Structure formats: structure tokens, C-alpha cells
């Protein structure tokens, strides 16, 4: 089990460092239907992430790993690593210039009119329609599937991956529920910092993960 958890941890943390879902939950919590929409968004995010991870783990778990990881898993990591590096370069090129205000996505301007169903749908969409999150979910789940862990170990690793990858949505909910009067100030500070540094954070995350995936794949393919 330790191998499966260790292999997927970087991917799960990469998913968790996602500014958009964090901002979405904070915006929803500030609306009249805040807790219901925030909980629905988190549920949609977690269910979509769990579905992607489960499909990949189940599909890849039939591979014989007695002779080590299959070659295709390293080629997959190489492709994903190159994708992350390209996404990081695009993030850098598209960063907001000094003095330029970036127009927020349309859904951010309409979040106060969301129903729980729309909130859940948005949460799922930010997993499966976001190239970075979908690629990380596939890469992390493939690492679990091709590890030498038993079925129970792979199941535990998959559950941990979903939980760690969902911290960007679970933490704001926890602060709102447990923080009392201070929660609005704390969440407001998180939102402001995340919005201001979104491009830089995402670029660093993508480049670091891309370098790790490429390095792991080259090491595996040349040994």
C-alpha cells in the first residue's frame, strides 16, 4: 500500500492546489444558499474525481505487475509530463500584465443565482473539463493501478487520493462551519490571495509536476 500512496501523492496534491474550485466554494459560501451550494459543489467535485480515479484504477489493475511496472505506464507519464510543461508555458504567456484586470469567468458573476444542482455540476466540470486536473487524476490513478499493492491497498490509496485532491473544496467548508465569526475574514483573505497569485501558483505547480513526471518516465524507460 505504501508504494501506491507514495506514487499518487504528488498528483493528489497537484489537484488540491487548484485556485478556481477554492474561489468557487468561497464565493458560494457568501451567498444566501451558501452552505447548501458549497456542500453540493464539493460533492460534485469529489464524485467526479472519485469516478475518474475508480475507472482508471479498475482498468489498469488487471495488468500483471510481477515483472515491474508496465512500459505503457511510463509512456503515459511522459505524455502527461510534457502536457503539464506546455500548460505551464501557456499559463505564463497568458498571465495578467501589470495594471491589467482579468475578466472573471461568467460563472463567477452568476454564482449568487446558483442552485445546488448547478453548483454540483460546476464542481464536476472543474474536474473533468480542466486539462490539468483530469491529467493529474488519470496519472495518479494509473500509478495506483500499476503499483504492487493488493486490492485493499489500492482501494485505500484511491480513497486517500480523492480526499487529498478535494482539500481545495473541503477546507473552505470546514473553516465556514468551525470558524464562527472569523470565517468570513479568513475566507476573504484566502480568496484575495488566491485570485491575485492564481497564474503564478498554477505555473509553478504545472512546471514542477511536469518535470517530475518526465523525470520519472525517463528513469523508468531507461532502466
Amino acid at each position: 500500500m505504501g508504494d501506491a500512496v507514495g506514487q499518487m501523492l504528488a498528483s493528489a496534491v497537484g489537484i488540491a492546489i487548484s485556485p478556481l474550485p477554492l474561489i468557487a466554494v468561497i464565493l458560494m459560501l457568501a451567498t444566501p444558499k451558501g452552505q447548501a451550494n458549497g456542500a453540493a459543489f464539493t460533492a460534485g467535485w469529489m464524485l467526479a474525481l472519485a469516478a475518474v480515479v475508480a475507472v482508471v484504477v479498475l482498468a489498469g489493475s488487471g495488468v500483471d505487475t510481477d515483472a515491474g511496472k508496465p512500459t505503457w505506464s511510463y509512456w503515459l507519464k511522459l505524455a502527461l509530463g510534457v502536457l503539464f510543461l506546455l500548460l505551464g508555458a501557456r499559463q505564463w504567456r497568458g498571465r495578467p500584465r501589470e495594471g491589467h484586470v482579468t475578466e472573471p469567468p461568467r460563472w463567477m458573476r452568476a454564482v449568487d443565482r446558483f442552485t445546488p444542482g448547478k453548483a454540483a455540476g460546476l464542481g464536476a466540470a472543474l474536474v473533468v473539463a480542466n486539462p490539468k486536473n483530469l491529467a493529474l487524476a488519470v496519472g495518479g490513478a494509473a500509478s495506483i493501478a500499476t503499483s504492487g499493492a493488493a486490492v485493499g491497498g489500492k482501494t485505500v490509496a484511491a480513497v486517500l487520493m480523492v480526499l487529498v485532491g478535494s482539500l481545495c473544496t473541503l477546507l473552505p467548508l470546514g473553516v465556514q462551519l468551525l470558524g464562527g465569526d472569523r470565517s468570513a475574514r479568513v475566507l476573504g483573505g484566502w480568496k484575495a490571495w488566491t485570485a491575485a497569485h492564481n497564474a503564478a501558483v498554477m505555473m509553478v505547480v504545472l512546471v514542477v509536476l511536469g518535470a517530475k513526471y518526465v523525470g520519472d518516465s525517463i528513469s523508468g524507460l531507461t532502466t
Side-chain angles (χ1 to χ4, degrees):
M1 185 180 75
D3 177 51
V5 173
Q7 289 290 327
M8 69 76 185
L9 197 55
S11 299
V13 171
I15 297 171
I17 305 175
S18 298
L20 279 182
L22 178 71
I23 293 173
V25 174
I26 293 173
L27 288 174
M28 289 178 188
L29 290 174
T31 65
K33 298 179 181 178
Q35 288 192 7
N37 283 351
F41 178 91
T42 301
W45 171 280
M46 295 184 73
L47 286 173
L49 181 56
V52 173
V53 172
V55 167
V56 176
V57 170
L58 289 173
S61 291
V63 177
D64 183 13
T65 58
D66 290 340
K69 285 184 176 294
T71 302
W72 65 261
S73 67
Y74 293 114
W75 284 111
L76 175 63
K77 270 202 164 184
L78 180 61
L80 293 176
V82 171
L83 174 63
F84 294 148
L85 293 175
L86 292 174
L87 290 173
R90 188 181 72 173
Q91 190 77 37
W92 174 253
R93 288 197 305 270
R95 71 193 186 281
R97 305 302 176 181
E98 187 175 354
H100 181 267
V101 178
T102 304
E103 186 73 13
R106 185 177 299 176
W107 62 262
M108 281 191 183
R109 303 194 295 272
V111 74
D112 58 334
R113 300 191 298 273
F114 270 30
T115 62
K118 284 186 177 181
L122 176 62
L126 289 180
V127 173
V128 298
N130 183 295
K132 169 254 192 187
N133 291 334
L134 182 59
L136 282 173
V138 171
S143 296
I144 294 173
T146 55
S147 70
V151 173
K154 290 181 180 180
T155 302
V156 171
V159 171
L160 286 175
M161 182 174 175
V162 173
L163 290 175
V164 173
S166 300
L167 287 177
C168 54
T169 63
L170 292 170
L171 286 177
L173 276 179
V175 169
Q176 211 267 352
L177 292 173
L178 304 175
D181 297 336
R182 298 178 53 202
S183 62
R185 179 168 56 85
V186 172
L187 292 176
W190 287 8
K191 183 175 83 68
W193 189 93
T194 303
H197 300 89
N198 176 28
V201 169
M202 290 307 303
M203 185 199 68
V204 171
V205 169
L206 288 167
V207 170
V208 170
L209 287 171
K212 182 184 185 305
Y213 269 49
V214 170
D216 289 349
S217 62
I218 291 175
S219 176
L221 290 169
T222 55
T223 55

